[in-house]
């Protein structure tokens, strides 16, 4: 298993500003992901955070808006840049852990972002 | 990304009734996973299915993978208030996980 912490747990920001969310894992993991979840909705994959190389972004998400860092196998950051009210959401960090034939995904507690 | 639909979107049941959610894909899946997200919480892994026609049980929960590996179901027998939450199926493509639309379960005491 993996224990994941995220900071901040919540924030209220002004439009046009940027927020950096931190994700810390208690063990080294290869797979690390960032998701967005709007209230009452499913999880949308933003990107895969790759250690030592640029993140892999899903369709509809770009590096200029959501820059990601992955300096080592236990830590990653996601920045939400030039925020607008449409960016209000919960942002979740997750890691994939391989165990036998099963790849289990563990999630952090999430960061609840409100943009005014 | 992978498109996975779930039905129903919402389900209200009386405590003690059964509940089923279905996950459907237009393409053949290599595997499917199920997660539960309690209100205000984060998704928690329940199980992974890999084989065609596979059935797995966890106490009152029964998970099934279709013969064609394009659909899956989660059945809860005799629901309890602790079963409240949103149930998501998810597909692991090897490099990414794609989540279904989710079914929100409300259990009325």
């Amino acid at each position: 298993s993996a224990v994941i912490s995220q900071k901040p747990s919540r924030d209220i920001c002004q439009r046009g500003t940027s927020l950096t969310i931190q994700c810390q894992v208690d063990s080294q993991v290869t797979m690390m992901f960032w998701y967005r979840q709007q209230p009452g909705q499913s999880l949308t994959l933003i990107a895969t955070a790759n250690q030592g190389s640029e993140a892999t972004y899903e369709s509809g998400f770009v590096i200029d808006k959501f820059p990601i860092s992955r300096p080592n196998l236990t830590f990653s950051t996601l920045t939400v840049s030039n925020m607008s009210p449409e960016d209000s959401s919960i942002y979740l960090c997750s890691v994939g852990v391989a165990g036998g034939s099963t790849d289990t995904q563990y999630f952090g507690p999430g960061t609840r972002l409100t943009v005014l | 990304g992978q498109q996975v639909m779930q039905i129903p979107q919402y389900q209200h049941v009386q405590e003690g009734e059964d509940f089923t959610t279905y996950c459907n894909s237009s393409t053949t899946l290599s595997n499917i996973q199920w997660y539960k997200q309690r209100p205000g919480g984060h998704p928690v892994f329940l199980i992974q299915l890999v084989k065609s026609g596979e059935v797995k049980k966890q106490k009152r929960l029964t998970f099934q993978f279709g013969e064609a590996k394009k659909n899956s179901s989660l059945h809860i027998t005799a629901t309890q208030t602790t079963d409240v939450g949103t149930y998501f199926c998810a597909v692991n493509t090897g490099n990414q996980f794609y989540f279904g639309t989710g079914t929100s379960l409300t259990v009325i005491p």
Side-chain angles (χ1 to χ4, degrees):
Chain A
S1 67
V3 177
I4 304 165
S5 60
Q6 279 185 240
K7 288 194 294 187
S9 58
R10 59 178 63 228
D11 207 343
I12 301 173
C13 302
Q14 297 295 324
R15 76 166 65 214
T17 63
S18 297
L19 175 72
T20 296
I21 302 167
Q22 299 180 6
C23 177
Q24 181 74 53
V25 190
D26 68 341
S27 58
Q28 291 188 339
V29 293
T30 303
M31 294 183 285
M32 187 177 276
F33 309 97
W34 286 98
Y35 288 86
R36 181 170 72 183
Q37 185 177 31
Q38 298 187 318
Q41 302 295 313
S42 184
L43 290 84
T44 301
L45 182 63
I46 298 172
T48 302
N50 302 308
Q51 194 270 329
S53 64
E54 194 171 283
T56 305
Y57 290 85
E58 295 297 305
S59 175
F61 298 96
V62 294
I63 188 171
D64 290 345
K65 176 67 176 178
F66 297 100
I68 289 171
S69 78
R70 179 93 191 268
N72 55 54
L73 294 176
T74 64
F75 186 79
S76 178
T77 67
L78 167 74
T79 299
V80 186
S81 303
N82 189 25
M83 289 183 285
S84 66
E86 291 72 33
D87 294 320
S88 297
S89 189
I90 298 172
Y91 291 84
L92 292 144
C93 166
S94 76
V95 302
V97 177
S101 60
T102 299
D103 289 330
T104 303
Q105 195 169 190
Y106 296 94
F107 284 84
T111 296
R112 184 180 293 273
L113 170 63
T114 302
V115 183
L116 303 177
Chain B
Q2 183 80 42
Q3 295 291 325
V4 181
M5 300 300 296
Q6 276 183 257
I7 54 171
Q9 187 175 0
Y10 304 97
Q11 185 79 59
H12 294 236
V13 299
Q14 291 285 340
E15 189 173 16
E17 293 182 338
D18 293 355
F19 160 76
T20 304
T21 174
Y22 301 90
C23 184
N24 298 295
S25 170
S26 58
T27 59
T28 302
L29 305 171
S30 58
N31 64 77
I32 196 150
Q33 299 184 337
W34 286 92
Y35 291 78
K36 177 183 178 181
Q37 185 175 26
R38 294 179 183 274
H42 57 272
V44 174
F45 175 82
L46 294 176
I47 210 160
Q48 175 171 293
L49 304 172
V50 178
K51 300 176 183 177
S52 169
E54 187 171 14
V55 177
K56 288 187 176 180
K57 292 190 176 184
Q58 291 179 350
K59 297 182 180 178
R60 294 178 294 103
L61 277 62
T62 302
F63 305 84
Q64 187 166 4
F65 203 6
E67 293 289 342
K69 301 182 72 172
K70 289 186 176 182
N71 54 67
S72 180
S73 64
L74 158 59
H75 179 81
I76 302 177
T77 303
T79 55
Q80 300 175 358
T81 55
T82 53
D83 295 324
V84 166
T86 301
Y87 293 84
F88 293 99
C89 60
V91 177
N92 176 6
T93 64
N95 295 317
Q96 292 94 9
F97 295 79
Y98 295 101
F99 280 74
T101 47
T103 295
S104 175
L105 173 64
T106 300
V107 180
I108 304 166

